[in-house]
Amino acid sequence: MSVIPIVLDCDPGHDDAMAIILAAYNPKIKLLGISTVSGNGAIEKVTQNALRVCALAKINVPVAQGSGVSLLGAAEAATDIHGESALDGADLPAPTFELQKMTGVELIGKLVRESSEKVTLVATGPLTNIALFLKLYPELVTNVEQIVFMGGSASRGNRTPYAEFNIWMDPEATDVVLKSGLPLTMCGLDVTHQALVTKEVFGELEAMGTELSKKIIGLMKFFAKTYDEVFEMPNPPLHDPVAIAVLIDATVVQSKFVNVECELKGEFTRGATVVDIFDREGRKKNATVALNLDAPKFWSMMLDAVRAAGQA
Ligand code: RIB
Ligand code: CA
């Protein structure tokens, strides 16, 4: 079984936290390191959360703090969904190791440069760090296998009517990634809204009975409450682990290779991903867009990782 080396760029965030656990505990993935980006919360908060998730799940990989603002200098926190700490719902342990003494982008560069195999970059937050990496380390792009990102949508948005949050936070960074020429896999809301934390999932977590599963239940209950309040979705979508799951087993999704552009100017649509599903515009195809999820297969991977982490 070939193991896939990845760097995970994230903004923990409840679903990012679960993506970290899946990346660290699935045997097909080699998590080389974690870089953080502001999004679900301010950069200091999401970075502390990344360290605390590592402490909670006994994960020991390099973690570095990345960009606190978008390429154009914007910042916003999704406290309405993730809470004041950006990861409300459970008391998490204090960090067990220090941050790397480098930026998140420098960590991505270091890990890609030092890897003897091509590295897959997985982004589950705004694409700022990924875009900066591509611009600052052009000589390293040949050692990148592909970029997988949770973001965008072939239909409607969630931060604005047409823009998904990660993309909306940094449309210019998204444009850099979409024009990079690297193989791209987009896991947008179309597919992630099928990864729902249902009562059956809660039942599986309760049956585990580990300290870790109890903390995750607390986090997921908070996530469910806010998602219901904001989006009238009683079963919250666990977006980010889908971007890891597609690497573990590509059959977990049905995808289509199409052209994707990011709207940078639209008065009402800035940050929208324009996904040309039926190739109506004839633009160059640049991304494999996941559209349907095999939810039982996804949850089997996710819950196996939680089980393994709980016994670590
Ligand atoms: O729109 C959902 C995405 O925005 C997820 O990655 C979530 O963690 C937030 O970052
Ligand atoms: Ca995220």
Side-chain angles (χ1 to χ4, degrees):
M1 169 176 66
S2 62
V3 176
I4 300 169
I6 76 164
V7 180
L8 176 57
D9 188 76
C10 55
D11 61 336
H14 292 73
D15 48 339
D16 303 78
M18 299 301 279
I20 291 171
I21 291 171
L22 180 56
Y25 281 92
N26 184 280
K28 273 210 73 177
I29 302 292
K30 168 76 177 145
L31 179 59
L32 299 177
I34 295 169
S35 51
T36 60
V37 61
S38 66
N40 287 326
I43 190 61
E44 298 79 10
K45 289 185 178 179
V46 300
T47 304
Q48 275 304 304
N49 291 342
L51 291 172
R52 290 175 181 276
V53 170
C54 287
L56 177 70
K58 299 185 177 58
I59 297 165
N60 193 350
V61 297
V63 178
Q65 180 168 307
S67 185
V69 293
S70 70
L71 294 185
L72 296 189
E76 180 179 293
T79 50
D80 57 339
I81 299 295
H82 299 276
E84 272 313 307
S85 74
L87 193 52
D88 283 10
D91 290 332
L92 300 182
T96 52
F97 55 81
E98 296 290 318
L99 278 179
Q100 297 292 301
K101 291 187 175 20
M102 64 182 78
T103 67
V105 179
E106 287 167 336
L107 178 62
I108 297 170
K110 177 176 186 290
L111 295 171
V112 171
R113 185 183 304 111
E114 293 176 353
S115 176
S116 58
E117 299 170 275
K118 286 194 173 191
V119 176
T120 293
L121 303 183
V122 181
T124 62
L127 291 167
T128 314
N129 292 331
I130 305 300
L132 289 170
F133 163 78
L134 294 172
K135 291 296 183 191
L136 294 172
Y137 300 99
E139 76 283 3
L140 296 179
V141 170
T142 52
N143 209 29
V144 173
E145 179 69 29
Q146 71 161 313
I147 298 171
V148 183
F149 63 97
M150 189 280 134
S153 160
S155 50
R156 300 297 293 261
N158 60 3
R159 175 59 189 78
T160 71
Y162 282 93
E164 178 278 328
F165 178 78
N166 287 338
I167 307 304
W168 180 86
M169 281 291 287
D170 202 336
E172 283 67 28
T174 303
D175 193 47
V176 167
V177 171
L178 291 172
K179 291 183 165 68
S180 66
L182 279 168
L184 304 176
T185 299
M186 172 178 144
C187 298
L189 297 178
D190 320 278
V191 70
T192 67
H193 276 183
Q194 300 171 48
L196 300 177
V197 186
T198 61
K199 65 178 185 317
E200 289 75 19
V201 170
F202 275 108
E204 294 268 359
L205 290 168
E206 274 144 21
M208 289 179 201
T210 63
E211 281 314 301
L212 174 70
S213 62
K214 288 172 191 164
K215 295 284 186 185
I216 289 177
I217 288 167
L219 294 173
M220 291 300 105
K221 281 183 175 173
F222 181 90
F223 193 47
K225 179 174 173 295
T226 57
Y227 243 92
D228 200 18
E229 287 165 356
V230 175
F231 295 110
E232 298 172 13
M233 291 176 75
N235 299 325
L238 203 67
H239 306 280
D240 294 335
V242 176
I244 303 291
V246 298
L247 290 171
I248 295 165
D249 179 350
T251 67
V252 76
V253 295
Q254 290 175 319
S255 306
K256 191 169 185 181
F257 185 57
V258 296
N259 171 264
V260 180
E261 303 294 345
C262 185
E263 178 55 58
L264 302 178
K265 298 187 177 64
E267 183 181 354
F268 303 110
T269 56
R270 175 170 158 80
T273 45
V274 180
V275 182
D276 194 353
I277 293 281
F278 301 109
D279 194 18
R280 303 295 288 161
E281 299 281 13
R283 287 188 288 254
K284 187 174 185 306
K285 297 180 179 179
N286 58 346
T288 298
V289 177
L291 295 166
N292 285 304
L293 181 73
D294 180 333
K297 187 175 283 186
F298 168 77
W299 282 111
S300 170
M301 293 175 194
M302 185 69 254
L303 292 167
D304 281 351
V306 174
R307 209 168 278 115
Q311 289 153 9

